[in-house]
Amino acid sequence: MQKAESYTGIFGMHKYWSKKPHNIIKSLINENSKRGEIVLDPFCGSGISIIQSILSERNAIGIDLNPMAIFITKQTLTKIDPSLIDVEFKKIKKDVEDKINSFYHVKRKQKSFVGTHYVWKNNSLEEVWYKENNKKIISKPTKSDIKFAESFSLSDTPYFYPKTELIPNSRINAKKSMFVYDLFTARNLCGLSILFERINKIKNKELREIFQFCFTASLGQSSKMVFVIEKRDKSKTENKPPKKEIGSWVIGYWIPKQNFEVNIWNCFKNRYNRILKAKKAQFSTSFNLNQVTKFSKLKNNDLLLSNQSALDYLQTLNDESIDYVITDPPHGDRIPYLELSLMWNSWLNFDTEFEKELIVSDAKSRKKDISNYNQFFKLILIEISRVLKPKKNFTLMFNSLDNESWRSIVEISYRSKIQLIKITTLSYSANSVVQDNRKKGLETDFVLHFRKTSGKVSKLIEVSKEEEKKEILSLVRKYKKQNKEYRSFEIINYIVIGLLKKKIFFNISIILQNI
Ligand SMILES: C[S@@+](CC[C@H](N)C(=O)[O-])C[C@H]1O[C@@H](n2cnc3c(N)ncnc32)[C@H](O)[C@@H]1O
């Protein structure tokens, strides 16, 4: 299995859930398509497949229902002169840095400093961090620090901030009557509103968007979701309090009882520096981005991005018009993309069509259950096989513990003449924002490689439950003999691949019961 590289450079500019390893995606694109051909990803997310297709000189079509996904993909690919970005940054800095920093004013021994981090526990201020001659100072809060921090209120926020209500969903810690603004302290919200107002005043659209991109990329660390990592220094005395380190916002809307409030100007500046570095490197490369808005305009190495439902887009395409489809649709209920992206979409005022999302959501109000998912998923698969050219390939990254979802794939593959030719697994990058920590969770994705054929597709054999169990147990024995230590996902992968090689249809639930 090719090792997943971590997200650096342009791939590390903005968070998105379930980003795929860019090096492996690049290999798949090169193996399955040629220069100038058309590659489609109807669930493109942060656009790893789209970016790699463009960099490998293919035409790329990226579709996603989430406007934030399309925004991230576009911003990642946009080549922009870094000196222009830098000039604009200096103007923003001049206009708002002092004002924002005044919100983090710290007074010690008659001297003034700028607070960098504040540790809160159960809504009371525990520590104030600031810098003196570039040295980090950790201090106990004074009465005036507390009074000052508590003097900020929502009603004082000078400019726009999102008033959007989150959709209650316990899986992602979105509680009833929780709003996007509840994710931030009133002080940080004031700073964010000033910064965002200033960014929106940038006249040049490309520049404005790149700074909006820096802004959304810094929102997680500007929120109350930044947890505190407590580390005891074992070499020192037992009584010494643990050292606090800054965690990073990962997934969901969990506000820990003990959390950091980080100076939002610093969050923004750090993100900006990272993005600028990536943009500088990108600017020195030879690729040129040509974006088109219509399929008929795709020529040799062009990009078509569209924020819409995969099904709606696929239905506009002619039969046999695509050379390669590579996609990674949502799997199960782990990551309700649109619900999670509300934090970003609401700032950018992006509208979302929740009812068209292919998802299983634990949010009761959404009525997005597994049968609804499977129905929708089947339609998508039928469309993908229809638009694929004969003898061309389709790569599906998939990860599900639901029997019916697997059945949908197998059934459609047979009906739509897309032959499953190979199945492999794909590991996540080290800094990926998705790990299924549930017991017996699938810690890797399966990669299903299909080829469109005009001939007969060999059907997977449905065996009896007893027969299936027998086959599984024999694979389990074989695996355990060869591997003394293993994690459950490794044996699950081994069995699934083993059964598919023998062309036996399996129920993932029976595998889980027998490992
Ligand atoms: C697993 S993620 C893709 C992540 C991507 N592979 C990456 O590397 O960033 C699945 C994507 O499907 C999108 N999605 C969900 N329902 C959709 C629909 N009906 N049409 C198009 N996109 C949809 C989500 O917004 C999400 O971005």
Side-chain angles (χ1 to χ4, degrees):
M1 190 168 32
Q2 195 180 351
K3 204 164 177 278
E5 284 174 15
S6 54
Y7 309 115
T8 51
I10 56 166
F11 298 108
M13 296 193 294
H14 204 294
K15 259 189 183 148
Y16 199 71
W17 304 276
S18 190
K19 271 189 185 182
K20 288 294 159 280
H22 55 92
N23 58 319
I24 299 179
I25 298 297
K26 184 178 179 183
S27 305
L28 284 168
I29 287 163
N30 287 327
E31 281 159 24
N32 290 286
S33 66
K34 297 194 193 81
R35 267 196 211 148
E37 288 192 335
I38 301 176
V39 178
L40 165 70
D41 185 344
F43 297 91
C44 73
S46 65
I48 307 281
S49 58
I50 299 305
I51 296 157
Q52 292 296 27
S53 297
I54 290 292
L55 297 180
S56 306
E57 296 175 44
R58 275 70 173 157
N59 288 295
I61 307 178
I63 307 297
D64 203 290
L65 185 67
N66 186 355
M68 196 60 207
I70 296 297
F71 185 67
I72 295 173
T73 307
K74 179 164 175 246
Q75 294 313 315
T76 308
L77 271 170
T78 302
K79 213 172 169 181
I80 179 165
D81 184 346
S83 64
L84 295 180
I85 312 181
D86 206 36
V87 168
E88 193 60 49
F89 179 75
K90 290 195 175 106
K91 289 194 212 159
I92 298 175
K93 181 172 151 75
K94 185 167 157 274
D95 290 350
V96 300
E97 184 189 26
D98 287 348
K99 175 76 188 159
I100 294 174
N101 275 341
S102 73
F103 299 161
Y104 307 98
H105 177 245
V106 174
K107 209 157 186 161
R108 295 289 185 277
K109 294 176 263 165
Q110 318 297 319
K111 281 197 208 154
S112 287
F113 301 95
V114 178
T116 58
H117 300 80
Y118 298 77
V119 179
W120 292 86
K121 192 169 183 180
N122 295 324
N123 295 324
S124 75
L125 191 56
E126 278 208 318
E127 277 179 14
V128 176
W129 296 13
Y130 60 93
K131 280 198 172 155
E132 185 170 15
N133 301 326
N134 251 338
K135 190 169 169 253
K136 182 170 110 184
I137 311 282
I138 299 178
S139 72
K140 285 266 150 248
T142 63
K143 274 195 186 135
S144 83
D145 291 333
I146 296 170
K147 203 168 154 209
F148 186 48
E150 288 174 350
S151 69
F152 290 84
S153 78
L154 212 59
S155 56
D156 298 331
T157 310
Y159 302 109
F160 165 84
Y161 64 91
K163 320 274 185 310
T164 316
E165 192 169 356
L166 300 178
I167 298 174
N169 181 344
S170 56
R171 172 167 290 288
I172 57 164
N173 290 295
K175 303 203 170 72
K176 203 166 171 258
S177 305
M178 190 168 165
F179 292 78
V180 170
Y181 54 72
D182 291 321
L183 302 172
F184 307 94
T185 61
R187 161 161 57 191
N188 276 5
L189 204 63
C190 274
L192 288 169
S193 84
I194 291 172
L195 177 59
F196 194 58
E197 172 76 9
R198 174 60 186 81
I199 289 171
N200 286 333
K201 286 210 169 106
I202 303 172
K203 292 222 168 59
N204 177 301
K205 186 169 181 269
E206 266 198 350
L207 277 174
R208 186 170 64 246
E209 286 185 353
I210 197 81
F211 280 101
Q212 287 174 336
F213 182 65
C214 294
F215 180 87
T216 51
S218 72
L219 275 176
Q221 283 311 93
S222 302
S223 76
K224 293 195 270 188
M225 297 183 283
V226 181
F227 59 94
V228 178
I229 305 168
E230 294 206 318
K231 280 204 173 147
R232 282 195 187 277
D233 185 349
K234 290 190 186 115
S235 62
K236 301 271 168 60
T237 57
E238 289 286 301
N239 301 337
K240 216 173 164 206
K243 247 172 82 181
K244 293 184 173 62
E245 283 181 15
I246 308 143
S248 96
W249 163 68
V250 184
I251 190 170
Y253 295 122
W254 175 58
I255 300 177
K257 285 201 165 58
Q258 191 181 27
N259 65 279
F260 274 104
E261 177 189 22
V262 189
N263 176 321
I264 68 111
W265 175 256
N266 292 346
C267 287
F268 179 70
K269 191 177 64 187
N270 292 342
R271 261 299 145 170
Y272 163 76
N273 283 329
R274 185 197 280 218
I275 291 173
L276 181 70
K277 192 171 163 209
K279 286 289 165 195
K280 272 186 183 158
Q282 185 180 50
F283 197 64
S284 63
T285 59
S286 60
F287 98 94
N288 274 321
L289 185 65
N290 186 35
Q291 214 177 327
V292 300
T293 49
K294 276 191 190 146
F295 182 89
S296 58
K297 296 264 178 325
L298 291 169
K299 287 200 187 92
N300 291 317
N301 181 201
D302 301 326
L303 169 69
L304 197 164
L305 284 179
S306 183
N307 168 219
Q308 59 174 305
S309 135
L311 191 57
D312 290 351
Y313 182 75
L314 283 160
Q315 284 169 346
T316 68
L317 290 177
N318 288 336
D319 293 359
E320 303 183 351
S321 51
I322 302 290
D323 296 291
Y324 178 44
V325 178
I326 175 165
T327 202
D328 165 36
H331 327 278
D333 61 352
R334 280 185 305 164
I335 308 170
Y337 294 87
L338 290 185
E339 291 169 45
L340 288 168
S341 296
L342 267 179
M343 180 173 79
W344 297 321
N345 283 328
S346 62
W347 276 97
L348 296 177
N349 232 335
F350 286 156
D351 268 344
T352 37
E353 292 185 279
F354 279 94
E355 64 293 346
K356 289 190 174 172
E357 190 174 18
L358 173 70
I359 202 75
V360 177
S361 171
D362 296 314
K364 290 199 183 70
S365 62
R366 293 194 63 196
K367 302 193 173 60
K368 288 280 184 187
D369 60 16
I370 186 74
S371 70
N372 175 287
Y373 174 97
N374 285 334
Q375 243 177 1
F376 194 2
F377 188 45
K378 273 191 197 173
L379 295 177
I380 303 260
L381 290 174
I382 292 172
E383 280 301 297
I384 289 177
S385 45
R386 179 184 69 77
V387 302
L388 197 62
K389 289 181 184 169
K391 300 198 181 116
K392 293 290 188 181
N393 293 349
F394 163 36
T395 304
L396 176 68
M397 284 159 261
F398 192 66
N399 178 330
S400 170
L401 292 174
D402 177 63
N403 290 338
E404 277 313 303
S405 303
W406 282 99
R407 191 173 290 277
S408 303
I409 297 179
V410 171
E411 197 185 295
I412 300 302
S413 115
Y414 184 69
R415 268 210 276 150
S416 307
K417 295 203 178 298
I418 45 169
Q419 175 82 58
L420 183 61
I421 46 177
K422 193 168 61 170
I423 176 159
T424 52
T425 54
L426 180 70
S427 57
Y428 301 131
S429 296
N431 50 351
S432 160
V433 218
V434 55
Q435 257 106 42
D436 191 348
N437 297 325
R438 280 178 274 178
K439 202 161 171 262
K440 293 189 180 172
L442 297 172
E443 288 174 53
T444 55
D445 283 343
F446 289 103
V447 185
L448 278 63
H449 306 258
F450 296 95
R451 175 158 308 141
K452 182 150 169 181
T453 147
S454 46
K456 238 181 136 199
V457 173
S458 46
K459 207 172 181 179
L460 292 179
I461 313 153
E462 290 256 14
V463 296
S464 69
K465 294 226 159 59
E466 289 71 37
E467 188 68 19
E468 189 181 343
K469 190 172 163 187
K470 219 170 96 195
E471 290 285 350
I472 292 170
L473 288 175
S474 125
L475 285 164
V476 169
R477 274 195 300 277
K478 211 164 145 196
Y479 189 83
K480 289 189 176 169
K481 225 169 151 184
Q482 289 163 7
N483 302 276
K484 292 278 161 289
E485 275 178 28
Y486 55 86
R487 313 243 303 271
S488 45
F489 83 93
E490 290 166 333
I491 194 163
I492 297 173
N493 289 353
Y494 178 81
I495 296 166
V496 169
I497 293 174
L499 291 177
L500 286 176
K501 267 191 194 147
K502 288 180 144 186
K503 301 224 172 306
I504 295 178
F505 181 76
F506 62 89
N507 290 287
I508 198 100
S509 59
I510 302 190
I511 297 180
L512 293 178
Q513 285 154 16
N514 290 288
I515 57 170

